[in-house]
Amino acid sequence: MINKSRAVTGEVVVPTAIDAVWEAWTTEAGVRTFFAPDCKIELEPGGAYEMYFAPESPPGLRGGEGCRVLAVQPEQMLSFTWNAPPSLPEVRGQFTHVVIRLIAEREVTRVKLSHDGWGDSGEWDLAFAYFETAWNKIVLPFLAYRFKYGPIDWDNPPNIS
């Protein structure tokens, strides 16, 4: 059963212009600088939006495989499906929904994230907790880090806490 009221939310201010932040989220070269070491992006509704956190692993175990773009509003909004990590097989095949919104503010860009479509109990609770941490303690901070210090070195990622 889907819990319509439960969502992971996050926000970060990135020290750069909106077009650069948009490119980071929507191109394969951009994604590799902060989100994942490898990916497949087809920026159109129904196109792939797959993040490979373990690109050398066998298919099905690389990360955000099978995820799709839902909607695109250039330099304003990106929406895509998302799945649980391979360690949570009961919910991995069920896709949730992420919306990224970009807001230009003087010399920075505010990024707002909302991740919903969660079920209740069991592995759903584990997935929710996992992504509360992943989005707010890793992905969004890595995005800000990327524009402050440079691309993430995936062989030696920064310890951001």
Side-chain angles (χ1 to χ4, degrees):
M1 176 174 248
I2 300 284
N3 183 331
K4 294 181 182 180
S5 65
R6 187 154 92 161
V8 172
T9 59
E11 186 172 314
V12 68
V13 175
V14 181
T16 195
I18 201 166
D19 61 332
V21 178
W22 179 255
E23 183 177 316
W25 281 100
T26 61
T27 67
E28 291 178 359
V31 159
R32 289 183 189 110
T33 68
F34 84 98
F35 200 162
D38 202 5
C39 60
K40 179 180 180 181
I41 296 176
E42 300 165 342
L43 193 60
E44 61 185 17
Y49 197 79
E50 299 184 351
M51 300 299 131
Y52 307 136
F53 302 104
E56 303 303 320
S57 294
L61 300 176
R62 296 180 292 182
E65 296 164 280
C67 298
R68 298 277 173 212
V69 173
L70 294 172
V72 177
Q73 190 175 12
E75 296 187 8
Q76 293 181 47
M77 184 273 302
L78 171 66
S79 178
F80 50 89
T81 62
W82 202 244
N83 60 358
S87 61
L88 301 173
E90 290 175 28
V91 295
R92 180 160 170 79
Q94 301 183 60
F95 291 87
T96 52
H97 170 253
V98 177
V99 177
I100 305 296
R101 294 197 182 275
L102 307 182
I103 301 132
E105 296 180 354
R106 295 193 181 186
E107 298 174 12
V108 301
T109 302
R110 184 172 302 278
V111 178
K112 293 185 175 189
L113 176 142
S114 178
H115 185 175
D116 62 16
W118 302 98
D120 289 312
S121 73
E123 283 193 358
W124 281 114
D125 291 340
L126 296 173
F128 185 87
Y130 176 91
F131 284 110
E132 276 192 312
T133 298
W135 292 123
N136 288 301
K137 302 289 185 189
I138 301 169
V139 178
L140 294 177
F142 274 14
L143 177 66
Y145 179 98
R146 179 263 179 265
F147 284 103
K148 190 170 182 181
Y149 302 109
I152 300 299
D153 174 355
W154 294 109
D155 292 325
N156 187 25
N159 182 7
I160 298 176
S161 44

